[in-house]
Amino acid sequence: MQVPATFEYERADSVTHALELLERYGPEARVVAGGHSLIPMMKLRLAQPEALIDINGLAPELGRITVEDDELAIGALVRHAELLDNSTATDLFPIFRDAERVIADPIVRNRGTVGGSLCQGDPSEDLSAVFTALRATAVIQGPGGIRTVAVREFHQGPYETAVEPNELLIQLRVPITAGTGSAYEKVERRVGDWPVAAAGAVITVRDGVIAQAGIGLTAVGARHFCAPEAEQHLIGKRPGAEVFAEAGRIAAEHCDPHPDQRGPADYKRHLAAELTRRALLTAAERI
């Protein structure tokens, strides 16, 4: 029988209230919204928080998608299904549509949140690679006020993030740049599964050459979910099949995949190269 350990339960009615509750209960408290990652871990007693702070009532504050000052702002409580259905977000960045279509199943997408996905810090998380490729910024609020952290510095290790125990991720901000295309490619064992490997690509082209590039990789041991060496290879070059294939090779070379039930390391490294190549090709076609 899978039964969580005993815990206290509180329901926050504002961001300020949630932060007060986090201060009250200390580092053994956990925030819950969708709960699709936390609750199974609690049932297996891999996680045993002393208190759960329910933030589902904060949707008016944290559940919006807006365009503000040349940035797309996505609240941490936006559900996966809401991001998938939001034409503003998916028209600006088709990578969101690509990724959200292959995250879990409709039940999870209807309840799971964008912020929860990132804060779980799972090394195989899809949206971590997406926001890394987009060079997004995480907005974090705590007792000392609001601070920002680049998503490329947000994940500090497996299941570890830059969010302190008394803080809350409240928003993700993505810069909007003309001449940009994006795409996400994923291989999974069955529909809705965690990826065997996946790659996201974002490129900006000016005057016929690549001015900026973002590559996000997941499930292949890429540090901070990114491939900076492959990104650097793309800068200043004209988009094309050979350039993209070489970027994929470089991305795979700098990965450190581990063999597991989803496949051997060599296979995952091969996927990193091929999926990066495909994502770059599709991103270029969407500019």
Side-chain angles (χ1 to χ4, degrees):
M1 182 181 296
Q2 298 181 6
V3 180
T6 302
F7 60 89
E8 298 292 326
Y9 173 84
E10 298 276 2
R11 187 173 178 86
D13 55 26
S14 68
V15 171
T16 301
H17 186 209
L19 295 175
E20 291 173 353
L21 291 170
L22 286 171
E23 282 283 310
R24 181 192 307 172
Y25 285 101
E28 296 307 314
R30 292 293 181 271
V31 171
V32 64
H36 285 287
S37 296
L38 178 60
I39 300 304
M41 293 179 70
M42 291 176 60
K43 291 171 69 176
L44 293 170
R45 302 209 176 187
L46 297 174
Q48 298 187 42
E50 294 179 3
L52 284 188
I53 299 170
D54 188 335
I55 61 170
N56 280 289
L58 278 55
E61 293 180 80
L62 304 183
R64 296 178 294 174
I65 300 175
T66 58
V67 174
E68 304 171 4
D69 301 325
D70 296 325
E71 289 184 315
L72 178 69
I74 302 172
L77 265 182
V78 169
R79 311 287 174 178
H80 293 296
E82 293 171 340
L83 180 56
L84 178 60
D85 291 340
N86 188 280
S87 59
T88 298
T90 56
D91 287 350
L92 283 169
F93 303 106
I95 191 172
F96 286 130
R97 185 184 299 114
D98 296 343
E100 288 291 6
R101 282 175 172 170
V102 294
I103 291 177
D105 54 41
I107 294 174
V108 172
R109 292 197 293 269
N110 284 335
R111 290 297 299 167
T113 63
V114 171
S117 291
L118 266 71
C119 286
Q120 176 68 5
D122 193 299
S124 298
E125 167 57 40
D126 291 284
L127 286 189
S128 296
V130 169
F131 282 106
T132 292
L134 290 166
R135 298 181 182 272
T137 299
V139 182
I140 300 168
Q141 186 169 341
I146 293 175
R147 65 187 180 97
T148 59
V149 176
V151 168
R152 292 180 172 223
E153 300 173 1
F154 184 81
H155 295 99
Q156 301 178 342
Y159 305 101
E160 295 182 6
T161 73
V163 181
E164 298 293 339
N166 60 351
E167 293 182 321
L168 202 63
L169 174 66
I170 61 172
Q171 192 180 71
L172 284 307
R173 301 185 72 90
V174 182
I176 300 170
T177 307
T180 296
S182 62
Y184 190 72
E185 295 282 346
K186 175 178 177 177
V187 168
E188 54 198 339
R189 292 186 302 172
R190 55 185 179 271
V191 174
D193 196 5
W194 292 102
V196 178
V202 181
I203 59 172
T204 300
V205 175
R206 297 193 189 99
D207 300 323
V209 300
I210 300 171
Q212 186 173 37
I215 296 174
L217 297 170
T218 192
V220 292
R223 182 173 170 80
H224 298 301
F225 295 92
C226 61
E229 297 85 1
E231 294 167 347
Q232 188 59 42
H233 167 76
L234 293 167
I235 303 302
K237 295 182 174 63
R238 292 188 176 277
E242 291 186 8
V243 170
F244 294 156
E246 179 63 12
R249 186 196 67 77
I250 294 171
E253 180 183 344
H254 289 86
C255 288
D256 185 23
H258 297 287
D260 57 20
Q261 72 273 20
R262 292 185 173 86
D266 287 347
Y267 175 56
K268 293 184 178 183
R269 189 173 287 107
H270 164 74
L271 286 179
E274 178 62 17
L275 297 179
T276 297
R277 183 190 69 83
R278 293 183 191 178
L280 285 166
L281 280 170
T282 302
E285 293 169 356
R286 289 172 171 174
I287 295 175

